[in-house]
Amino acid sequence: LGKLNYFLGKKAATDGRKSRYPTTDFCAFPEAICAAPESKEMRWLTSMFEWTERVQSFDDLKGFNYLDELRKFVDGGLIDYDFFHATSGLLDGGCLEPPCAGSSAGKMGSKEIHLKEERLENFQTLLRVLDTGSEKALLRGIIKYFTDLGDIMNGQVLRSQTPQGQLYPSYRYTLDDMLASITFMAETGVGGRKFYIGEAKKGDGVKYGVVNVVTFLSQAYKEAIQFD
């Protein structure tokens, strides 16, 4: 709670630092996470803060670095669940493989990870229903990438040219239509061929798809977009 107050609460505001909840004193009012007006967001934010501190930044200096292991898990095809069990151990027991040396009795010193198999089952379910690591995930990444750059796409990329050389936003080649077409070509395709949107088994595989789209756009501009 002291860290929450220091980084997110009243202590941060008192010290003149940026505070998400400047009037909330987590030390004096720990129930704020469940009872404050902002409690719905607080529950998410405080749990994510704990995640970044206890799990995401974990490095035992003996070969296990969370972010490195996450990348190995993705690059390996999302099938080596030792990675996930390690995160369960960190959260539930305080180490990679509970029981942890020096732990007291109770949950933090338990011989087994609490609800170990249920945690794994939930992880596997989320991977499946959210299509993590699949082509659908890549497609969402492509759509988000170009949507976030909407102003640049419309103002600098999807522009046509008059015979006199004046540039203007294309009437026929719009971002919405481009993304709809990418979706169709990536999911359904034509004549057995689909638009390449990246490598599903690589952690940053979407960048390959982005470059493919950019390469296509570069050629499409000279072939058609320029002339509207």
Side-chain angles (χ1 to χ4, degrees), residues 145-165:
Y145 179 86
F146 287 100
T147 299
D148 288 347
L149 294 174
D151 289 340
I152 293 176
M153 289 293 295
N154 291 320
Q156 300 181 36
V157 179
L158 299 176
R159 298 194 299 173
S160 300
Q161 190 173 15
T162 67
Q164 292 75 33

Side-chain angles (χ1 to χ4, degrees), residues 29-43:
F29 183 39
E31 298 86 357
I33 296 173
C34 297
E38 308 94 335
S39 64
K40 289 184 178 180
E41 181 190 76
M42 283 181 180
R43 295 173 195 226

Side-chain angles (χ1 to χ4, degrees), residues 15-33:
D15 291 348
R17 290 176 285 108
K18 187 176 181 179
S19 172
R20 183 71 172 178
Y21 311 111
T23 62
T24 301
D25 188 331
F26 287 99
C27 294
F29 183 39
E31 298 86 357
I33 296 173

Side-chain angles (χ1 to χ4, degrees), residues 16-176:
R17 290 176 285 108
K18 187 176 181 179
S19 172
R20 183 71 172 178
Y21 311 111
T23 62
T24 301
D25 188 331
F26 287 99
C27 294
F29 183 39
E31 298 86 357
I33 296 173
C34 297
E38 308 94 335
S39 64
K40 289 184 178 180
E41 181 190 76
M42 283 181 180
R43 295 173 195 226
W44 282 107
L45 203 152
T46 55
S47 62
M48 288 179 183
F49 174 70
E50 180 182 15
W51 178 263
T52 60
E53 185 175 52
R54 291 180 56 191
V55 180
Q56 188 175 296
S57 60
F58 183 84
D59 188 335
D60 66 358
L61 303 180
K62 298 177 182 178
F64 188 98
N65 174 282
Y66 171 80
L67 290 178
D68 288 343
E69 294 301 318
L70 182 148
R71 295 183 183 104
K72 290 178 185 177
F73 174 69
V74 174
D75 292 344
L78 309 174
I79 57 176
D80 185 357
Y81 295 118
D82 285 345
F83 160 74
F84 181 74
H85 287 316
T87 67
S88 297
L90 289 173
L91 283 175
D92 191 60
C95 65
L96 296 174
E97 297 182 43
C100 310
S103 294
S104 59
K107 181 182 177 184
M108 292 298 288
S110 61
K111 293 183 179 181
E112 296 291 338
I113 296 171
H114 183 59
L115 300 176
K116 179 179 179 179
E117 294 307 317
E118 287 85 346
R119 291 171 189 262
L120 177 59
E121 183 179 351
N122 189 53
F123 181 56
Q124 293 171 324
T125 298
L126 287 175
L127 287 175
R128 184 174 64 255
V129 300
L130 296 178
D131 297 303
T132 308
S134 71
E135 290 188 358
K136 287 187 177 180
L138 288 175
L139 182 56
R140 286 196 294 268
I142 292 282
I143 298 300
K144 183 179 187 306
Y145 179 86
F146 287 100
T147 299
D148 288 347
L149 294 174
D151 289 340
I152 293 176
M153 289 293 295
N154 291 320
Q156 300 181 36
V157 179
L158 299 176
R159 298 194 299 173
S160 300
Q161 190 173 15
T162 67
Q164 292 75 33
Q166 183 178 358
L167 294 173
Y168 63 94
S170 176
Y171 298 125
R172 295 182 173 87
Y173 298 95
T174 67
L175 179 59
D176 287 345

